[in-house]
Amino acid sequence: MIANAAIPLSLYIHVPWCVRKCPYCDFNSHQAAAEGIPEREYLAALLKDLEQVLPRVWGRRVSTIFFGGGTPSLLSPGLVADLLSGIRARIPCVPTAEITLEANPGSIEAKKFKQFREAGVTRLSLGVQSFNDENLHVLGRIHSASQAHRAIAAVMESDFDSFNIDLMFGLPGQDITGASKDLETALNYQPPHLSLYQLTIEPNTPFSHSPPEDLPGDDLLSEMQDELAAQADLDGVQRYEVSAYARKGQQCRHNLNYWEFGDYIGIGAGAHSKISDQSGVVRYSRPRLPKQYLASAGMPDAYIGERSLQPRDLVIEYMINALRLRKGFSLQQFSLHTGLDSAVLSEGIARAKTMGLLLQDDDRITTTAKGFGFLSEIQLLFS
């Protein structure tokens, strides 16, 4: 049995539109039509979506809200304000709720940053990816390096509680010096949080059909990541998750809830949810295509792929998430979030310790330095 009242609850809002889809992107995103985004229709659908899930989370409070995409900064600040008001009218939110909105550095979006702050957004995540125009061109980004600089300045002038800069490394033709230069440029702004993602070639993307030339090899990628982590650490931005770095007290609370196997409601086209109740843990999603989502919101067939996680699924999913964190997890946390006795992990932990991949200090399990580089191998020990 899971004591769901003790498990944090987050809300994810998916905005499926963007100006142009990037060739490496496998997210559920769609190019906005020439006539624009059907904002008011989508707002109504999102609130119907939320209302439909409320019986599953009665008595619980939302601790974080995250607008992801797509490109949420394409929305009008007025719609964001109305949506946040609508959410608060339907479900309690903690007074200090972290509210993040993902944004592109384009000049049109940057003009809205202060208005997003006034609408209630407390944290902005800026998808810079690189400060090199050639890299941005190869990645299919629609902003320039100079626009990225102006956008960061606009964020810093808008009085957000925190902000994040997204960077990518392992780009075509990139060496350690080039990746380090991008990071140095970002660090000059003293960001509270950084996301450093390795470019990966995902199935069913333009890059998978026509891979870019001169991609760094595995050895160079490993050296690159180690160098970037050391460089960020020297600046006081510590790596706390595989791709996430933060100054003290500035970790992304929303993403931490995912990695700590907390609960989350997902609303919007293609959004996924994970909800714990007295019977266990349930996952479900929403229709991916915007038109289908708009037509089905609030209807009985709006849930897709609903399933209860079996004990084996719970072990695998928990370990996939929790081991991404440098701090690891406690056996007590595992039992709280899964409803399982931590003894089910004993054999896998023992094998990983023998292989030099995990450490155990009383109740806490963490990866070794070696293990943090072999997370997939560790996860197999619990499958």
Side-chain angles (χ1 to χ4, degrees), residues 67-188:
F67 289 81
T71 307
S73 54
L74 291 178
L75 297 176
S76 66
L79 182 125
V80 171
D82 290 347
L83 178 55
L84 290 174
S85 294
I87 290 167
R88 289 191 175 97
R90 288 163 174 79
I91 187 169
C93 299
V94 301
T96 57
E98 174 193 85
I99 303 175
T100 302
L101 184 138
E102 291 183 334
N104 272 351
S107 57
I108 294 177
E109 290 100 321
K111 291 177 181 178
K112 304 176 184 176
F113 290 171
K114 284 186 178 180
Q115 294 170 296
F116 285 133
R117 182 68 185 99
E118 293 166 357
V121 175
T122 66
R123 181 177 182 274
L124 206 75
S125 182
L126 196 62
V128 171
Q129 315 311 352
S130 177
F131 291 96
N132 179 297
D133 281 324
E134 185 176 342
N135 289 340
L136 292 171
H137 175 73
V138 171
L139 291 173
R141 303 296 292 176
I142 60 173
H143 68 272
S144 65
S146 61
Q147 286 178 316
H149 286 289
R150 289 196 294 271
I152 295 172
V155 172
M156 296 174 70
E157 292 169 1
S158 299
D159 198 31
F160 289 98
D161 293 349
S162 185
F163 68 94
N164 169 66
I165 295 177
D166 266 357
L167 290 179
M168 297 183 77
F169 68 93
L171 308 182
Q174 190 178 55
D175 57 16
I176 292 177
T177 300
S180 178
K181 179 62 177 176
D182 265 348
L183 179 55
E184 178 186 357
T185 304
L187 291 173
N188 285 338

Side-chain angles (χ1 to χ4, degrees), residues 11 26 43 57 68 84 101 145 147 149 160 170 184 190 207 237 260 282 288 305 308 314 319 328 341 343 349 358 363:
L11 174 63
D26 68 337
L43 170 63
V57 293
L84 290 174
L101 184 138
Q147 286 178 316
H149 286 289
F160 289 98
E184 178 186 357
Q190 292 291 292
F207 270 5
V237 189
E260 292 175 343
V282 177
R288 286 176 57 85
S308 296
L314 287 168
M319 298 304 282
D341 192 307
I349 290 173
L358 286 183
D363 186 53

Side-chain angles (χ1 to χ4, degrees), residues 6 10-11 18 65 95 102 147 177 190 272 303 319 377 382:
S10 293
L11 174 63
C18 53
I65 299 173
E102 291 183 334
Q147 286 178 316
T177 300
Q190 292 291 292
H272 291 252
Y303 291 112
M319 298 304 282
E377 287 74 7
F382 297 91

